[in-house]
Amino acid sequence: MPNRMIKESICTSETLAQLTPDEERLFYRLLVNADDFGRFDGRAAVVLAACFPLQLDRITVNDVEVWLQKLASVDLIRFYEVGGRRYLYFPTWDKHQRKRAQHSKYPAPPSDDRHVTVTCPSRDGHATDTCCSRNEKRE
Protein backbone atom coordinates (compact mmCIF):
# COMPACT_ATOMS: atom_id res chain seq x y z
CA MET A 1 0.00 0.00 0.00
CA PRO A 2 1.45 3.38 -0.90
CA ASN A 3 1.97 6.12 1.65
CA ARG A 4 -0.81 8.65 2.09
CA MET A 5 -0.61 12.40 2.53
CA ILE A 6 -2.10 13.83 5.70
CA LYS A 7 -2.02 17.60 5.87
CA GLU A 8 -1.71 19.64 9.06
CA SER A 9 -5.08 21.26 8.31
CA ILE A 10 -6.72 18.14 9.79
CA CYS A 11 -6.02 19.67 13.20
CA THR A 12 -8.47 22.50 12.52
CA SER A 13 -10.94 20.59 10.34
CA GLU A 14 -14.54 21.37 11.31
CA THR A 15 -15.60 18.09 9.74
CA LEU A 16 -13.16 15.97 11.75
CA ALA A 17 -14.08 17.92 14.89
CA GLN A 18 -17.57 16.36 14.62
CA LEU A 19 -16.14 12.86 15.11
CA THR A 20 -15.44 10.90 18.26
CA PRO A 21 -11.84 9.73 18.71
CA ASP A 22 -12.82 6.22 17.55
CA GLU A 23 -14.55 7.53 14.42
CA GLU A 24 -11.54 9.70 13.60
CA ARG A 25 -9.19 6.77 14.13
CA LEU A 26 -11.26 4.69 11.70
CA PHE A 27 -11.05 7.52 9.16
CA TYR A 28 -7.23 7.49 9.25
CA ARG A 29 -7.05 3.73 9.09
CA LEU A 30 -9.40 3.68 6.10
CA LEU A 31 -7.14 6.23 4.39
CA VAL A 32 -4.18 3.86 4.54
CA ASN A 33 -6.25 0.85 3.47
CA ALA A 34 -8.07 2.42 0.53
CA ASP A 35 -6.69 1.77 -2.92
CA ASP A 36 -5.12 4.50 -5.05
CA PHE A 37 -8.57 5.58 -6.21
CA GLY A 38 -9.84 6.10 -2.65
CA ARG A 39 -12.06 3.02 -2.72
CA PHE A 40 -12.44 0.15 -0.30
CA ASP A 41 -14.77 -2.70 0.60
CA GLY A 42 -17.66 -1.15 2.53
CA ARG A 43 -18.68 -4.17 4.59
CA ALA A 44 -18.13 -3.49 8.27
CA ALA A 45 -16.66 -6.94 8.92
CA VAL A 46 -14.04 -6.43 6.21
CA VAL A 47 -13.28 -2.90 7.43
CA LEU A 48 -12.86 -4.23 10.98
CA ALA A 49 -10.47 -6.98 9.88
CA ALA A 50 -8.39 -4.65 7.70
CA CYS A 51 -8.30 -1.59 9.95
CA PHE A 52 -8.14 -3.17 13.41
CA PRO A 53 -6.53 -6.62 12.99
CA LEU A 54 -5.00 -6.59 16.47
CA GLN A 55 -8.16 -5.38 18.21
CA LEU A 56 -10.73 -7.90 17.03
CA ASP A 57 -11.34 -8.88 20.64
CA ARG A 58 -12.21 -5.29 21.64
CA ILE A 59 -13.96 -3.78 18.61
CA THR A 60 -17.14 -5.26 17.15
CA VAL A 61 -18.59 -5.22 13.66
CA ASN A 62 -21.44 -3.14 15.06
CA ASP A 63 -18.95 -0.56 16.43
CA VAL A 64 -17.39 -0.25 12.99
CA GLU A 65 -20.79 0.03 11.29
CA VAL A 66 -21.79 2.89 13.61
CA TRP A 67 -18.48 4.66 12.95
CA LEU A 68 -18.82 4.16 9.18
CA GLN A 69 -22.31 5.65 9.26
CA LYS A 70 -20.96 8.70 11.11
CA LEU A 71 -18.18 9.16 8.53
CA ALA A 72 -20.83 8.97 5.82
CA SER A 73 -23.14 11.41 7.62
CA VAL A 74 -20.42 14.10 7.58
CA ASP A 75 -19.54 13.22 3.95
CA LEU A 76 -16.02 11.93 4.60
CA ILE A 77 -16.96 8.69 2.85
CA ARG A 78 -19.79 7.62 0.58
CA PHE A 79 -21.26 4.18 0.12
CA TYR A 80 -22.26 2.57 -3.15
CA GLU A 81 -23.33 -0.88 -4.20
CA VAL A 82 -22.16 -3.01 -7.10
CA GLY A 83 -23.38 -6.55 -7.64
CA GLY A 84 -25.07 -6.62 -4.26
CA ARG A 85 -21.87 -5.73 -2.38
CA ARG A 86 -21.31 -2.51 -0.49
CA TYR A 87 -18.23 -0.41 -1.20
CA LEU A 88 -17.10 2.98 -0.01
CA TYR A 89 -15.03 5.81 -1.39
CA PHE A 90 -13.62 9.13 -0.27
CA PRO A 91 -15.37 11.91 -2.24
CA THR A 92 -12.44 14.35 -1.90
CA TRP A 93 -9.71 11.79 -2.59
CA ASP A 94 -8.37 13.52 -5.70
CA LYS A 95 -7.86 16.79 -3.80
CA HIS A 96 -5.55 15.20 -1.23
CA GLN A 97 -4.01 12.02 -2.63
CA ARG A 98 -2.10 10.93 -5.71
CA LYS A 99 -3.05 8.00 -7.90
CA ARG A 100 -0.14 5.73 -8.74
CA ALA A 101 -2.02 2.65 -9.88
CA GLN A 102 -3.51 2.35 -13.34
CA HIS A 103 -6.66 0.60 -12.15
CA SER A 104 -8.70 0.43 -8.98
CA LYS A 105 -8.96 -2.78 -6.97
CA TYR A 106 -12.69 -2.07 -6.56
CA PRO A 107 -15.50 -1.24 -8.98
CA ALA A 108 -16.18 2.42 -9.67
CA PRO A 109 -19.05 4.13 -7.91
CA PRO A 110 -21.97 5.22 -10.07
CA SER A 111 -21.31 8.56 -11.77
CA ASP A 112 -24.39 9.99 -10.06
CA ASP A 113 -24.28 8.68 -6.50
CA ARG A 114 -27.02 10.94 -5.19
CA HIS A 115 -29.63 8.17 -5.19
CA VAL A 116 -27.68 5.16 -4.00
CA THR A 117 -29.57 2.87 -1.67
CA VAL A 118 -27.32 0.74 0.46
CA THR A 119 -28.37 -2.23 2.54
CA CYS A 120 -26.49 -2.22 5.81
CA PRO A 121 -26.08 -5.11 8.21
CA SER A 122 -28.44 -5.19 11.12
CA ARG A 123 -27.17 -5.74 14.65
CA ASP A 124 -27.23 -9.50 14.14
CA GLY A 125 -25.05 -9.24 11.02
CA HIS A 126 -27.75 -9.86 8.40
CA ALA A 127 -28.40 -7.32 5.66
CA THR A 128 -31.89 -6.15 6.50
CA ASP A 129 -31.80 -2.43 7.27
CA THR A 130 -31.62 0.24 4.62
CA CYS A 131 -29.26 3.05 5.62
CA CYS A 132 -30.05 6.53 4.50
CA SER A 133 -27.24 8.85 5.45
CA ARG A 134 -27.44 12.23 3.78
CA ASN A 135 -24.98 11.31 1.07
CA GLU A 136 -26.79 8.15 0.11
CA LYS A 137 -30.21 9.60 -0.68
CA ARG A 138 -30.03 13.18 -1.75
CA GLU A 139 -33.06 14.81 -3.19
Side-chain angles (χ1 to χ4, degrees), residues 73-111:
S73 75
V74 298
D75 207 28
L76 287 169
I77 63 169
R78 294 182 186 169
F79 295 109
Y80 63 103
E81 196 170 296
V82 174
R85 180 168 291 172
R86 185 172 81 166
Y87 297 94
L88 62 83
Y89 73 98
F90 293 85
T92 60
W93 187 264
D94 292 334
K95 285 186 194 176
H96 305 289
Q97 304 298 328
R98 289 186 297 186
K99 289 181 187 172
R100 294 182 182 114
Q102 297 278 332
H103 305 285
S104 178
K105 295 178 182 179
Y106 304 96
S111 58

